[in-house]
Amino acid sequence: MSWFDEFKEGVELDYGIGRDDRAKMHYAERELQGLDDDSPRLKNMAATHPVSFRLRELLGIANKDAMKARKDMGIGALPTKPGMAGQLVGSIGADLTQDISRNWWWLFNAAQATGNVINESTLGMINPDLYGARKTPIKYEDGNALVREGLAKEIINANGHREIQRNPKVFNRGGKAAVRNYRSGYVESLAIPAGVAINNSLGLLTPFGGAEGYEAVLPSEDDPSKTSNAVGEVAAKYILGRTGGLLDYDEFKKVRPDVSKGEYNAYKAFKYDNSPDLNLLDGDFTIPSGVLKGTTDGIHGAEIQFLGRSLPLTTAVVPFASAVAGAALGVRRGKKYRAGGAEFGTPDPDAVKRGFMGGTAGAVGGIALGNLLESERRRRNEASNQAYYDKLDKLETT
C-alpha cells in the first residue's frame, strides 16, 4: 500500500468510530484493569476522546490497557505512521461531526455540574474502590454457586416456580460473575452535599421568592422579592436553574443596608459588562465573552461569576470546599483496609456511608461558617460606609 492508501485507511477507520464504540472500548479497558464499568465522568470523557487517545498513541504515551481494548475491537492503532496520522485526521472529523469536544462544554456549562465533576474526581482519587469491582471464578449462569457464595438468593415467582435472583451488585464479566464494590447510585449520592452547598449559594433553595436582595423568578406584582407561583418558582429553579435579577436599589437597600448606592451601581456595571479585562491586578477580571469573571469587592465581597451566576467566596466557595473535604475524609479507607491492615485489598463497606455523613457535616458547617463570615463582612462594610457619610455630613456643616 502507498502512504496515501495507509493514510486513507486510517481516516476511514476512525471517522466510523461512534459513541457506542467508544463506550465499549472504555468498558473493556476498565475490565482489563479489574474495575467496574462505571467511572468518574471526567476520567470517562478523557479516556474516550478520540483525538486525545490517538495523540497519545502517536506520542507513545497511551495507556496499554486502553490500546489492547481498542485492538481487540478492531479499532487499534495502525502499524504505520501514515496510517496513524490518518486515524488522527479521522478522529478530528468525528469530533467535529459528533460534538465530542462540545460535550465537555455541555458538561461544565453550569456551576452545579462543574462542582459535581470536581467532587466526583476528588473522591475517586481519595478512594479508587468507589469505582472498582472484583471478579469471581464463579460462572455468571451458575445460579446455585452464586447462592452458595451469598451473591444470589432463591425466590418463588408469581407462577410458583423457583428462580435465582442475583444481588444488585453482581454483573456478567466475560462469563464470570463480578461484584461491584458499591452500588453506583449510592456513590452518586456523595454529590448531594456539595450540590446543596452550591445551590444554596445560587439562591436555588428559596421556593417562595428570590434570595436576599434579588427578585423571584416569577415575581409578584406587590413584592418582586416574593413569587407569584410557588410551584412555577420551584420548577424554574430546579429544572431550568433560573434565578431572579437584582432588586431595584430602593428595595435592595431594605435588606442590604450595608451596600451603598455607588457600590450597587458599580456591581451592576461589573456584572453586565462583558468587555475583556485580563488584568488581575486591578481587583477584577473578565474572560472574553464574560463566561468567567471575578471581583474582589462586589456586593458579596470577593466572588467568581460563571455564566452570570455569582459564586461568592464566603457563601459558595467555603461551603463547597468544606463539603468536598468532609466527603473526602469520610470515603478514605478505614485503618484495617489500608496498606498493612488486616483487610487490605478488600473494599471498606462503610466508606460511602461515612463519605455522605462527612460531606453533609462539611456542607452544614461550611454554610454556617460562610454565613458568619459574610455577616461580619457586611457589618464592617456598613460601618465603613456610615463613617464615610458621617464625615461628609461634618464637612457640610462646617
Side-chain angles (χ1 to χ4, degrees), residues 100-121:
I100 301 168
S101 289
R102 291 176 72 191
N103 281 328
W104 284 76
W105 170 245
W106 293 334
L107 174 64
F108 288 104
N109 71 354
Q112 302 95 316
T114 301
N116 282 344
V117 170
I118 293 172
N119 183 71
E120 188 179 72
S121 299

Side-chain angles (χ1 to χ4, degrees), residues 48-126:
T48 57
H49 195 293
V51 178
S52 175
F53 63 67
R54 290 309 187 201
L55 274 175
R56 291 198 295 271
E57 288 173 350
L58 273 170
L59 297 173
I61 57 173
N63 180 280
K64 292 183 179 179
D65 291 325
M67 289 185 68
K68 184 178 187 309
R70 288 191 285 272
K71 182 178 179 181
D72 290 345
M73 290 178 61
I75 56 174
L78 294 177
T80 66
K81 290 296 182 183
M84 294 177 72
Q87 287 181 294
L88 179 60
V89 171
S91 291
I92 292 172
D95 183 11
L96 294 173
T97 56
Q98 296 177 31
D99 293 326
I100 301 168
S101 289
R102 291 176 72 191
N103 281 328
W104 284 76
W105 170 245
W106 293 334
L107 174 64
F108 288 104
N109 71 354
Q112 302 95 316
T114 301
N116 282 344
V117 170
I118 293 172
N119 183 71
E120 188 179 72
S121 299
T122 300
L123 301 188
M125 287 190 291
I126 296 295

Side-chain angles (χ1 to χ4, degrees), residues 247-315:
L247 290 167
D248 291 337
Y249 183 71
D250 288 341
E251 294 295 323
F252 180 87
K253 68 180 181 180
K254 294 177 182 178
V255 291
R256 291 294 307 275
D258 58 296
V259 179
S260 70
K261 182 69 175 290
E263 290 170 331
Y264 175 88
N265 288 335
Y267 181 75
K268 287 190 75 172
F270 158 77
K271 183 175 181 66
Y272 297 113
D273 181 9
N274 292 328
S275 302
D277 175 8
L278 302 181
N279 181 7
L280 301 179
L281 302 178
D282 63 356
D284 57 47
F285 72 90
T286 301
I287 288 179
S289 78
V291 171
L292 183 69
K293 57 201 310 186
T295 179
T296 58
D297 193 26
I299 62 173
H300 306 292
E303 69 171 61
I304 293 291
Q305 283 196 12
F306 183 55
L307 291 174
R309 299 298 175 81
S310 172
L311 296 167
L313 174 63
T314 53
T315 56

